[in-house]
Amino acid sequence: LEELNLAGPAAPAREAPQIEAEAAQLLELLGYEPSSMDAICARSGLGADAASALLLKLELNGLIEVLPGGQYQRVR
């Protein structure tokens, strides 16, 4: 239960994940509307490989989700 953060009210509050500055900038650019990889690359100036790596980090930290059709969306 502790690993899943389901230990109950006595469990410490979950802290916001720490992400690198470049990932934080991409998160700000992403916004809450679904965006394609092409749109993300155009807004950020990143190549697809760099954008993909940062998007994966953001997804693993629970900050974005991948939607059907290769769209990305910020969730918090």
Side-chain angles (χ1 to χ4, degrees), residues 56-68:
L56 178 60
K57 289 178 184 180
L58 293 170
E59 182 183 5
L60 293 174
N61 280 302
L63 299 171
I64 68 167
E65 63 183 4
V66 181
L67 304 172

Side-chain angles (χ1 to χ4, degrees), residues 19-42:
I19 56 174
E20 60 193 54
E22 196 173 20
Q25 290 173 343
L26 184 61
L27 183 63
E28 287 300 316
L29 288 172
L30 188 57
Y32 293 95
E33 294 295 319
S35 299
S36 68
M37 177 62 78
D38 290 338
I40 293 167
C41 290

